[in-house]
Amino acid sequence: MDSDLFSNPADAERYFLPLATRMRPTKLEEYVGQQHILGDGQLLAENIKRGQVHSMVFWGPPGVGKTTLAKMIAQYASAAFIEISAVLSGVKDIREAIDQAKNQKIQHQKQTCLFVDEVHRFNKSQQDAFLPHIENGDILFIGATTENPSFELNSALLSRCRVYVLKPLDDQAIAKLIERALKEDSILKHLGLTIANDALSVLIDAADGDARRALNFIEIAADFLSEGDEKVIDIPLLNKVIAQSYRRFDKSGEVFYDQISALHKSIRGSSPDAAIYWLNRMLDGGCDPLYLARRLVRTASEDIGNADPRALQVTMDAWQVQERLGSPEGELALAQAAIYLAVAPKSNAVYKAFNRVNQCIRETGTKEVPMHLRNAPTKLMKEQGYSEGYRYPHDEPNAFSPGVNYLPDGLTGSVFYEPTDRGLEKKIKEKLAYLKKLNKSTG
């Protein structure tokens, strides 16, 4: 540690804090991003300035300022601030925090802002523990979550809180944060650290909307520099810092399901460009390629079906390439399959038929197999009438036996599969119409 760097012990203590913590703003004017809720004239911003705030939940990806905003709210409201993490805490920690809040209220007539990070990690009973204390004003509750509150938080807790969505920071906001850090942080200023223009755009892209990520990259880059090196963050240095750094992605969270939904719907919507974009986004984020292979197989059956039966084979082949050869050959095969599915003729007729049959089975129960469709491998079964009256289609014209019913009694004439006029299903539809005409000719 450079002894010339600090003029007082407080500066020395800050030296050991991460850059993201050192750069945390304390005033609303310094807060970057989230203008949709904190811009001029926005209700939340006005309430914060007046110190009149309510219990709330911040929902957004990492590094967008959820903790910072909670601390700022407590400061403007002149409230004590207690932070607990649902990852590390339990009911005992919740009780201790509530007791502290009650003491503040009784002894100092001061409100307490209880900030719960990763609140979705608490189970139902743990979330319920906050309810009476929110109700009676013991705490100003602020929760932070990266997951969709509709799925992860109790409805009782949600009904007592206002949910605010925090968005990933745009490029301009990330650039502003980087510029401020280089100009205002005493440690970086002492080093004389700068960043090349071309490296700045690379850093902004690597940050992927995450302020903490951007500042962490700067801090790591500074640590890479040796005595005598020019104190400039350039592209070669950044490449070392951000190697193997993945974009925002969670293998079981909201972003994951949003992206796989986007991939499926892009294929269904016949957009090859969007399909390969979302496929590559998920691969870039660290998604298991075999999971993507399975989803492509599902899409081939659900959205293309018999309009182009080759689609299923293409996706199965891509899956096999991924299993046998791995990356990058397997990923390229997945990309080929995704594009094929996107441009193939679309039909959900098989998918709809599958669902109709399941619904029929649930409604009609267990129906007997018609006698003429049963095998009769024994004499007793033949005597019981098994297989009696069965007509072998190959012995008849067009390999078809007009007038024969293959469904259980009570379901005769039911139609589950209705082919479309697209792709191969157009020919299938024509054939089924012809066979139906032959059936009618038998009376």
Side-chain angles (χ1 to χ4, degrees):
M1 184 169 63
D2 191 335
S3 59
D4 296 331
L5 181 55
F6 311 110
S7 57
N8 59 63
D11 287 337
E13 187 176 344
R14 282 175 57 81
Y15 177 85
F16 295 101
L17 295 174
L19 177 59
T21 303
R22 300 199 303 268
M23 291 305 301
R24 180 166 280 155
T26 57
K27 298 178 182 178
L28 203 57
E29 304 81 58
E30 299 172 348
Y31 190 91
V32 175
Q34 315 309 329
Q35 291 302 295
H36 62 292
I37 58 173
L38 297 175
D40 292 338
Q42 295 296 328
L43 184 60
L44 179 59
E46 296 302 317
N47 286 344
I48 292 174
K49 291 174 183 176
R50 290 195 297 264
Q52 299 174 348
V53 286
H54 45 270
S55 291
M56 61 191 79
V57 171
F58 295 142
W59 170 28
V64 296
K66 297 188 290 292
T67 304
T68 297
L69 187 54
K71 289 186 174 182
M72 196 176 293
I73 287 172
Q75 179 181 316
Y76 274 83
S78 300
F81 185 81
I82 299 176
E83 179 179 355
I84 62 175
S85 170
V87 177
L88 304 173
S89 305
V91 173
K92 179 183 176 183
D93 303 283
I94 296 173
R95 287 174 182 161
E96 290 177 356
I98 297 297
D99 288 341
Q100 291 181 47
K102 288 180 177 179
N103 288 336
Q104 286 285 344
K105 184 179 178 182
I106 296 170
Q107 297 178 11
H108 306 287
Q109 291 75 52
K110 191 174 186 179
Q111 190 177 32
T112 295
C113 172
L114 177 57
F115 176 67
V116 184
D117 197 17
E118 304 291 339
V119 64
H120 62 277
R121 299 290 188 94
F122 276 147
N123 60 35
K124 184 181 186 300
S125 62
Q126 290 169 321
Q127 292 181 30
D128 286 345
F130 297 110
L131 300 180
H133 306 290
I134 297 173
E135 284 283 329
N136 61 27
D138 289 336
I139 57 172
L140 169 65
F141 178 87
I142 301 181
T145 176
T146 56
E147 299 298 324
N148 190 326
S150 301
F151 304 133
E152 303 296 336
L153 299 187
N154 295 348
S155 57
L157 182 58
L158 281 178
S159 69
R160 291 163 174 80
C161 300
R162 174 78 182 271
V163 176
Y164 292 99
V165 179
L166 275 63
K167 301 177 180 179
L169 302 186
D170 60 24
D171 291 355
Q172 186 177 0
I174 295 291
K176 187 175 181 179
L177 282 170
I178 295 170
E179 181 183 4
R180 181 184 293 172
L182 294 174
K183 287 184 177 179
E184 298 179 9
D185 182 70
S186 56
I187 297 171
L188 298 185
K189 281 172 64 179
H190 180 79
L191 290 174
L193 190 66
T194 60
I195 185 167
N197 288 333
D198 55 351
L200 177 61
S201 61
V202 173
L203 177 56
I204 291 171
D205 183 60
D208 201 29
D210 185 329
R212 187 185 302 112
R213 188 183 178 101
L215 296 176
N216 285 348
F217 283 149
I218 291 176
E219 198 163 30
I220 296 169
D223 291 339
F224 264 102
L225 295 170
S226 305
E227 285 292 330
D229 287 347
E230 187 179 3
K231 299 300 186 284
V232 178
I233 299 176
D234 55 18
I235 288 181
L237 175 58
L238 267 186
N239 286 337
K240 294 179 184 178
V241 171
I242 64 178
Q244 299 302 314
S245 178
Y246 292 121
R247 300 187 184 278
R248 257 189 340 271
F249 192 77
D250 182 345
K251 293 182 181 179
S252 61
E254 176 82 6
V255 174
F256 174 89
Y257 292 110
D258 285 348
Q259 291 186 11
I260 195 62
S261 175
L263 171 60
H264 195 147
K265 289 172 180 173
S266 297
I267 291 172
R268 182 183 293 152
S270 299
S271 175
D273 298 311
I276 194 171
Y277 171 82
W278 290 115
L279 177 80
N280 283 25
R281 269 287 297 275
M282 297 193 77
L283 291 170
D284 179 62
C287 181
D288 181 2
L290 294 178
Y291 170 82
L292 292 171
R294 291 194 298 273
R295 286 304 298 244
L296 292 177
V297 169
R298 164 81 184 199
T299 305
S301 292
E302 180 177 334
D303 291 292
I304 296 166
N306 289 330
D308 185 352
R310 294 170 299 180
L312 186 59
Q313 186 59 55
V314 168
T315 54
M316 289 300 297
D317 287 346
W319 188 346
Q320 192 171 57
V321 171
Q322 179 63 52
E323 282 188 324
R324 290 188 174 186
L325 302 183
S327 179
E329 292 84 0
E331 292 166 356
L332 185 59
L334 294 179
Q336 178 184 345
I339 290 175
Y340 186 95
L341 297 182
V343 300
K346 302 298 185 294
S347 169
N348 67 346
V350 170
Y351 177 67
K352 289 169 72 175
F354 184 82
N355 291 334
R356 285 173 185 146
V357 169
N358 284 338
Q359 181 67 24
C360 175
I361 292 170
R362 286 192 294 268
E363 293 175 353
T364 60
T366 305
K367 287 193 170 287
E368 296 289 334
V369 176
M371 295 296 284
H372 67 281
L373 296 181
R374 302 184 189 188
N375 272 340
T378 68
K379 181 180 179 182
L380 176 62
M381 296 170 84
K382 288 180 181 177
E383 291 174 350
Q384 294 293 318
Y386 282 45
S387 196
E388 186 177 336
Y390 175 67
R391 291 158 58 189
Y392 189 56
H394 293 288
D395 290 340
E396 303 191 31
N398 301 308
F400 179 68
S401 303
V404 175
N405 172 53
Y406 294 93
L407 285 167
D409 291 341
L411 295 180
T412 303
S414 297
V415 176
F416 301 113
Y417 176 54
E418 297 179 346
T420 67
D421 292 319
R422 296 180 291 277
L424 179 62
E425 279 198 330
K426 184 176 182 179
K427 293 184 177 296
I428 295 173
K429 187 175 185 178
E430 292 170 355
K431 179 176 180 179
L432 289 180
Y434 172 68
L435 297 180
K436 187 176 182 179
K437 185 178 179 181
L438 291 179
N439 277 332
K440 282 185 176 181
S441 70
T442 66

